[in-house]
Structures are given as structure tokens and as C-alpha cells.
Amino acid sequence: DAMKQEITTMIAQWNTTFVFVTNEIGSGGHASDAVSRTFADHQGWLNQFVASKSREVVHMVAGCANVVKRVEDGGRGAKGSWMSQDDRDDAKLLDTFLSSRSLQMDSKGYFMVKLDENRIVASFYSCIVNDKGEICDLQGNKIKCCNGGSRREPMKVWKGRTAKELTTAIFEEWEDAAKLEFSIGHAAYIGREVQRAEHCLYSNIPYQQD
């Protein structure tokens, strides 16, 4: 039980892919001694637990991959997709690779995206520094820290039910957007993130910003 809890805690706190490689020991003969049989039992229970938490389980036999389990996520993996499974797997690998590339941040600020109370929440944090070395808004007013701590308050917060609602509010209706001169890459990134957040919101999938 302690190991199960440790695995559950580990996979819950990271937005990444975990790969577990383990022996399939239930297909062979049974050990003659009690210690080996106990080990096989525990290994089997652990394999079952990890498989129950996994979105994909692959059984390798003679170098051939047999997919035992694959959880469709309602997106690219949805049943009836015109794309083959190989194409969808390649697309997922490409996205993972592109997520690791270096990005040039806008000098005036950045966005944080999350899900909260069945809404997509986007917050803009200023990186503008006034002549006193203080983080400030476009008017030069110092931005206060939350609850007197070290983390500063966002300059602006939006809440919405859809990606289109949020991106319209940020890039079309926010009067300061033009003054901040967001790069095309930054705007495209926000569009991708809030669209992914919307998918997670309506699919009951945990969301963590890329």
C-alpha cells in the first residue's frame, strides 16, 4: 500500500510521461520455494496497479509490441479519427519534442493558465520595471505582492468557459494588449494553451500549462 501511494503521488504532481518497464512473470512456471512465490505475487499485484493507472499498456513478445490497453483521450486519439494510430503517435512525439524547444519570452510580461471552478483562468504577470527597480504596470505603478509575500499579484486576470472567449477578451478587447506589443509567437502560444485547457475542462482531464 505504501508503494501504491508513492506511485500515485509521484504521477499526480508531474505533467509528464512515465514509462514503467517490468517483467511479466505470470506466464512461466511456478517457483518451488515460498520466497520466490511471494515475490511473484507482489510483482503481479504491482503490475496490475501500474496498469490500472496507465493510459497505455504494451506487452512485448519476441520483439513485437502488443497493445493491451490504450485509453482514448477524446482528442487526436478519438475513435473514428481519419488519422491512423501511427500518425497520432507521431504527432504526440512531435508535440513533446517541440515543447522542449527554447522560447524567447516577451520582455514586458507572461501569462499563466489554469483551470479553477469550472473555468479557464488566464493571468498576466508584468515584467515591466520602473526607475526604482520595482515591478509595475503600464502606468509605472508598483504591483503589490499577494498577502504580503514574495509572489506578485497579476496585472490582469480573465476567466472564461471557452478558448475563443478568453482569446477574444485578451487580444481583441483588452485595451492594454496593443501597448504591450505581444509577439506573434507569444499570442500563438496562449491560443494553444487555452485551447488545450478547454479540452481538459470538458473532458475531465487534469490540466497543467506547458
Side-chain angles (χ1 to χ4, degrees):
D1 289 340
M3 182 172 291
K4 290 180 180 179
Q5 184 58 50
E6 184 175 348
I7 292 174
T8 300
T9 301
M10 178 181 68
I11 62 178
Q13 63 185 340
W14 296 101
N15 180 29
T16 189
T17 299
F18 290 93
V19 178
F20 291 84
V21 180
T22 180
N23 293 327
E24 172 52 65
I25 55 178
S27 301
H30 293 282
S32 58
D33 60 285
V35 173
S36 297
R37 290 195 298 272
T38 300
F39 171 78
D41 286 342
H42 283 81
Q43 178 76 74
W45 284 115
L46 180 61
N47 288 352
Q48 290 182 43
F49 176 75
V50 172
S52 72
K53 297 289 185 179
S54 301
R55 301 187 65 82
E56 188 169 310
V57 179
V58 179
H59 185 209
M60 296 295 299
V61 179
C64 299
N66 299 291
V67 178
V68 178
K69 173 186 176 183
R70 175 174 281 141
V71 178
E72 307 292 358
D73 60 8
R76 290 181 183 142
K79 293 181 179 179
S81 172
W82 291 348
M83 302 292 284
S84 69
Q85 185 61 52
D86 286 343
D87 287 335
R88 296 198 295 269
D89 290 342
D90 287 346
K92 184 183 294 186
L93 288 173
L94 177 60
D95 272 359
T96 301
F97 170 74
L98 291 174
S99 292
S100 65
R101 75 192 189 284
S102 177
L103 294 175
Q104 182 67 39
M105 291 187 63
D106 277 337
S107 61
K108 294 183 179 179
Y110 59 93
F111 287 87
M112 297 295 291
V113 181
K114 66 179 181 179
L115 297 181
D116 185 44
E117 296 182 348
N118 295 327
R119 291 293 185 270
I120 309 166
V121 181
S123 304
F124 178 74
Y125 289 85
S126 172
C127 289
I128 304 171
V129 180
N130 61 21
D131 54 6
K132 298 180 180 179
E134 302 167 333
I135 299 296
C136 63
D137 58 21
L138 287 170
Q139 289 71 44
N141 301 313
K142 178 181 177 181
I143 294 178
K144 298 179 180 180
C145 293
C146 297
N147 301 321
S150 59
R151 186 169 67 88
R152 61 181 178 272
E153 293 180 348
M155 182 171 152
K156 183 78 172 178
V157 178
W158 300 264
K159 295 184 179 181
R161 293 156 293 187
T162 68
K164 184 175 292 186
E165 180 184 5
L166 272 180
T167 52
T168 298
I170 295 171
F171 297 109
E172 297 180 27
E173 298 174 356
W174 186 28
E175 58 183 15
D176 288 337
K179 301 175 185 177
L180 290 167
E181 300 177 337
F182 296 119
S183 67
I184 295 176
H186 198 173
Y189 166 76
I190 296 304
R192 290 194 302 269
E193 280 303 304
V194 294
Q195 186 64 60
R196 194 164 65 85
E198 177 187 321
H199 170 68
C200 293
L201 176 64
Y202 288 95
S203 302
N204 294 320
I205 300 173
Y207 167 80
Q208 184 170 338
Q209 186 171 351
D210 189 1

